[in-house]
Amino acid sequence: MELFGTAGIRGDVVSKVTPDLALRVGQATGQDGETFVLGYDGRVTSPALADAMAAGLQSAGARVIRIGRVPTPTLAYASQGRHGVMITASHNPPTDNGIKVFANGTEYGDDDETRIEGRIEDGSTPTTWRDWGETESVDYLDEYRGAVADYAESLGGDPSGLTVAVDCGNGMASVATPQVLRELGADVLATEANVDGTFPGRESKPTPETLADFREFVAESDADFGFGHDGDADRIVVVDAAGEVIHEDTILAMLAEHYTRAADVSDPVVVTTPNASGRIDERVEAAGGRVERIHLGSLHVGIADVRADATDETEVVFAAEPWKHIHTAFGGWIDGVASAAVLTRLFAEQSVADRRALISERPYEKVSVECPDDAKTETMERLESSLPDVFPEAAVSTEYGVRLSFDDGSWTLVRPSGTEPYVRVYAESDDIDALVADTTQAVRDAVEAVSAADA
């Protein structure tokens, strides 16, 4: 079975993420712990899927604490010290839904997900009738919002003089981000701030394109900056006062540098992904830390790997991939609400423009090259030898795809998509057009060679 992707289970509610699947996942997952917190997002189909999940968990013998309609970070927060399940498809369209499983505030890893899939495939059945679990309802939203505000107040400066725009995208940020920022003292201009699972305001995924109206709103208002969220409030996009989307790696570099400088250990570590910009390494190293990379969707694995080899002076101070941040001193989960709160405090201390001026923003580009799923493995094997031949002056890493690094700070990464029939090309360079053209051509040549060999 291959139910789980890079961020839980997701798919169409008619053909994949059905009540029957939720019931079976619940029965399989419920064997892992005595108590589960269960939450769901604002999608039309989420309450019914949560009911099916609760039935599965209880019939496996688990006690279920239902926390209602909440952001995913709220569910993760509530899962500390126990297990948790969130019904959400994050930024997917309203026709989809999904399931994320947590243990002690951290998403399940590959081994955990494989175990659940095995139980489903073997056919999990309810426990004896005497052992079915009980259920109760508890409100965690106020506690979570207060915890985020308390955490952020220890960082940066007082945002009382700032005006912050927030596009909640009709998602779960509506019940969290504006409230937290107002508690911190900021003046908040909230748009699309009602929960509506049809996402009438815009698509759930925040991008420069889907945030076009919001960007214009920010530029025409007196907002100092703005935030855009996805459907479950784990992602965040940052917009400056002119309505320009600030590159996700620039935001990552800002946060990484702050946490590195604030660390009270000699070996502060930032965990990120292979496609993340070299500007992150520059700022972290300037602040006295180091960067470790892990494949996309596995920040929690990277954090665990660093901690397994840590000395007393090692600390993972921050972990992130584009748009998604883990504030490790606050918790082990991706949290867009916490990011909004922390960034607001940091921008109150030093303006967006001043922080941005410290960062080298080389041109960055991402290209998708068509490649059949069954050709990806052989294509990547060919590229491990052919791509270094194209760039003999580059340092080569093949741990998470093929990544070439150059002396001037430029780099390119080639990796197969885990969800679509593409090989992705990422590149960052002052001469971006030439680097992307040469890398993309090498990928096309490898795909064509594999196709010809199979013909």
Side-chain angles (χ1 to χ4, degrees), residues 216-414:
E216 183 176 352
F217 169 76
V218 173
E220 293 177 352
S221 72
D222 61 352
D224 295 282
F225 49 86
F227 301 123
H229 286 292
D230 62 344
D232 67 336
D234 61 355
R235 292 186 177 216
I236 188 170
V237 173
V238 184
V239 177
D240 68 14
E244 178 186 352
V245 172
I246 303 175
H247 194 280
E248 59 268 31
D249 285 342
T250 294
I251 296 299
L252 205 164
M254 290 179 185
L255 288 166
E257 179 176 11
H258 165 77
Y259 281 119
T260 301
R261 291 195 185 281
D264 58 0
V265 295
S266 62
D267 184 28
V269 180
V270 170
V271 174
T272 189
T273 50
N275 61 318
S277 167
R279 68 193 70 169
I280 299 160
D281 303 72
E282 290 176 3
R283 299 317 305 166
V284 169
E285 289 169 8
R290 61 186 171 97
V291 173
E292 294 290 338
R293 283 180 161 78
I294 189 70
H295 56 84
L296 280 164
S298 296
L299 291 174
H300 54 293
V301 176
I303 293 170
D305 287 348
V306 172
R307 288 174 175 168
D309 296 331
T311 69
D312 290 342
E313 285 298 312
T314 301
E315 181 183 346
V316 179
V317 296
F318 183 58
E321 57 186 78
W323 312 122
K324 300 190 288 188
H325 310 144
I326 298 177
H327 303 267
T328 51
F330 181 59
W333 57 87
I334 295 164
D335 197 326
V337 181
S339 291
V342 170
L343 286 166
T344 295
R345 295 277 306 186
L346 295 186
F347 293 156
E349 180 183 53
Q350 184 179 24
S351 72
V352 177
D354 287 346
R355 287 186 181 273
R356 192 173 183 178
L358 299 172
I359 298 169
S360 301
E361 294 186 284
R362 296 186 182 89
Y364 180 102
E365 193 167 338
K366 172 183 172 183
V367 176
S368 297
V369 178
E370 291 186 3
C371 178
D373 288 334
D374 59 4
K376 288 178 180 176
T377 299
E378 191 173 348
T379 296
M380 292 305 301
E381 289 174 352
R382 286 178 177 268
L383 286 167
E384 286 184 9
S385 57
S386 65
L387 199 55
D389 289 342
V390 177
F391 302 101
E393 72 278 18
V396 182
S397 170
T398 57
E399 190 170 9
Y400 306 114
V402 182
R403 195 177 199 275
L404 306 180
S405 302
F406 302 87
D407 289 341
D408 65 355
S410 301
W411 59 273
T412 185
L413 168 71
V414 176

Side-chain angles (χ1 to χ4, degrees), residues 10-218:
R10 286 188 207 168
D12 183 84
V13 296
V14 175
S15 61
K16 182 175 181 179
V17 186
T18 63
D20 176 63
L21 177 66
L23 177 70
R24 289 186 290 134
V25 172
Q27 287 179 333
T29 306
Q31 301 174 43
D32 283 354
E34 295 181 357
T35 302
F36 282 76
V37 287
L38 173 62
Y40 59 89
D41 69 11
R43 292 166 189 270
V44 174
T45 57
S46 290
L49 290 172
D51 288 342
M53 175 60 66
L57 291 169
Q58 288 176 252
S59 67
R63 174 172 170 258
V64 177
I65 300 174
R66 303 191 65 159
I67 67 172
R69 193 173 68 174
V70 294
T72 294
T74 305
L75 182 282
Y77 170 85
S79 75
Q80 294 177 100
R82 53 197 171 192
H83 287 73
V85 177
M86 181 70 186
I87 303 298
T88 181
S90 189
H91 61 273
N92 282 34
T95 52
D96 288 0
N97 217 317
I99 301 167
K100 289 184 179 181
V101 186
F102 292 81
N104 194 28
T106 302
E107 286 187 49
Y108 264 28
D110 292 344
D111 291 343
D112 300 313
E113 292 171 349
T114 299
R115 181 178 65 253
I116 299 307
E117 291 185 355
R119 288 174 183 165
I120 295 171
E121 196 164 18
D122 292 342
S124 296
T125 57
T127 187
T128 176
W129 65 272
R130 289 184 180 274
D131 294 328
W132 282 36
E134 298 179 346
T135 186
E136 64 174 309
S137 296
V138 178
D139 182 2
Y140 268 92
L141 187 56
D142 285 344
E143 180 180 330
Y144 164 75
R145 292 188 301 215
V148 173
D150 288 345
Y151 171 71
E153 282 180 344
S154 66
L155 311 172
D158 181 0
S160 297
L162 294 179
T163 298
V164 185
V166 182
D167 185 334
C168 302
N170 302 120
M172 295 313 305
S174 303
V175 300
T177 298
Q179 293 82 351
V180 169
L181 298 188
R182 287 179 181 127
E183 184 173 344
L184 291 174
D187 181 23
V188 178
L189 306 175
T191 68
E192 312 300 347
N194 62 310
V195 179
D196 187 330
T198 66
F199 302 113
R202 61 163 169 83
E203 293 179 23
S204 179
K205 186 175 182 178
T207 67
E209 293 73 30
T210 61
L211 291 173
D213 290 343
F214 176 65
R215 293 167 57 196
E216 183 176 352
F217 169 76
V218 173

Side-chain angles (χ1 to χ4, degrees), residues 431-452:
D431 192 7
I432 191 70
D433 292 340
L435 181 57
V436 169
D438 291 345
T439 305
T440 301
Q441 187 59 54
V443 174
R444 290 197 180 101
D445 290 345
V447 172
E448 290 175 3
V450 171
S451 299

